[in-house]
Amino acid sequence: MKLLKRTAFSLLGILLLILTIATILEKIYGTDFVNEYIYSSVPFVILWGVTAITSLLYIIKSKLHRQPVIFLLHLSLLFILAGAFTTWIYGEQGTMRVRQGEQQTSFTDSKGISHQLPFSITLNQFEIIYYKGTLAPMDFISHISVADKDCHRQIQGKVSMNHIFSYQHYRFYQSGYSEDNEGSVFSVSHDPYGIGITYAGYTLLLLSTVFFFLQPAKSVPPTAEKPFATQKLDSHLAFIRIQSQQ
């Protein structure tokens, strides 16, 4: 039992370290780099899978189902792991470049493969907002139109550094612009299943945290201190996971 526990917590620690490094590398080399060499790499996915299996075995062996709050806490972690694995299987990430007045219907992944969108994106206007009195950019804003032939409708949207545009499970991030300031560069993410599962994990994590503090003092098990440490670790893991996808 001790070996299983140490293994589970060690794997979690390794994951936390890798996610921290990935977050730093993303700021330096960009999202496409970490998606290709870390998040989409086979060793990283295997590590996720082994961590999930080890954590599940620990839950079963420790009979944590007899402690609902602690069980819910560990279950939330499994949901987050399952969401990440689902994203790896079904998710698509890439880059879209579009100039003002032009229409774009596809994006390209890190391997150069083109992915067709079920709708079209038109860049109506691109603008740079500067800090007052300086030439330092404060925000990049793209005003877009989405034409969906299947739904026979056209909607207006905005993509900026602080605003993600979402439509039909596609998420568009403002990642750059052309040298002549006439075009935008979007990071595109398509994850129809993984995000829902991951958010369910975050919801369970929040509920377990609330229930933990609402428990009467007399009902808190003697070993609650250690799961509480796990709670802190899970919270950091969830936070870094969110940061790495934005």
Side-chain angles (χ1 to χ4, degrees):
M1 179 62 70
K2 289 184 178 181
L3 178 60
L4 181 61
K5 181 179 179 180
R6 289 176 180 174
T7 301
F9 279 88
S10 296
L11 290 173
L12 285 173
I14 294 173
L15 272 176
L16 180 61
L17 177 62
I18 292 176
L19 290 172
T20 303
I21 294 174
T23 302
I24 297 173
L25 292 177
E26 183 176 10
K27 300 298 182 182
I28 300 175
Y29 298 106
T31 302
D32 291 340
F33 178 86
V34 294
N35 281 335
E36 180 177 358
Y37 294 103
I38 298 181
Y39 298 134
S40 298
S41 66
V42 174
F44 185 72
V45 174
I46 292 176
L47 178 61
W48 275 109
V50 173
T51 302
I53 294 173
T54 305
S55 300
L56 181 61
L57 290 175
Y58 176 68
I59 291 175
I60 296 173
K61 292 289 186 179
S62 301
K63 299 180 180 179
L64 292 180
H65 60 278
R66 297 179 180 178
Q67 304 173 27
V69 176
I70 304 305
F71 174 73
L72 188 64
L73 176 64
H74 287 78
L75 185 63
S76 68
L77 176 60
L78 290 181
F79 265 82
I80 294 172
L81 292 173
F85 184 68
T86 303
T87 297
W88 182 74
I89 296 177
Y90 297 104
E92 298 173 335
Q93 290 82 34
T95 302
M96 172 190 290
R97 299 177 183 274
V98 58
R99 296 184 63 79
Q100 288 187 143
E102 291 184 351
Q103 187 180 80
Q104 185 61 268
T105 59
S106 64
F107 64 94
T108 307
D109 64 20
S110 58
K111 297 180 181 180
I113 301 175
S114 180
H115 298 266
Q116 198 71 20
L117 295 171
F119 51 85
S120 63
I121 295 285
T122 300
L123 178 61
N124 300 321
Q125 180 187 3
F126 174 76
E127 59 178 327
I128 301 177
I129 306 298
Y130 297 93
Y131 285 101
K132 188 175 181 179
T134 73
L135 294 178
M138 182 176 68
D139 199 2
F140 316 134
I141 304 176
S142 298
H143 300 275
I144 62 174
S145 297
V146 177
D148 192 332
K149 295 182 179 179
D150 293 335
C151 299
H152 304 286
R153 65 176 179 176
Q154 181 169 336
I155 63 174
Q156 305 298 315
K158 182 180 74 173
V159 189
S160 68
M161 296 297 291
N162 300 312
H163 184 270
I164 301 170
F165 178 79
S166 298
Y167 186 74
Q168 289 193 8
H169 302 294
Y170 287 87
R171 294 163 65 87
F172 296 85
Y173 305 81
Q174 184 73 52
S175 60
Y177 56 93
S178 60
E179 293 183 358
D180 60 1
N181 298 347
E182 294 292 325
S184 282
V185 180
F186 299 140
S187 292
V188 185
S189 175
H190 181 225
D191 186 12
Y193 310 112
I195 289 181
I197 298 174
T198 303
Y199 282 178
Y202 296 151
T203 301
L204 290 175
L205 181 63
L206 176 61
L207 290 175
S208 61
T209 303
V210 172
F211 291 153
F212 182 88
F213 287 105
L214 292 179
Q215 288 184 112
K218 62 180 181 180
S219 65
V220 177
T223 57
E225 183 178 354
K226 292 182 180 179
F228 181 69
T230 309
Q231 173 188 333
K232 293 177 64 178
L233 179 61
D234 293 354
S235 300
H236 291 313
L237 182 61
F239 175 78
I240 293 176
R241 176 66 180 163
I242 294 175
Q243 291 295 99
S244 66
Q245 292 185 341
Q246 296 184 344

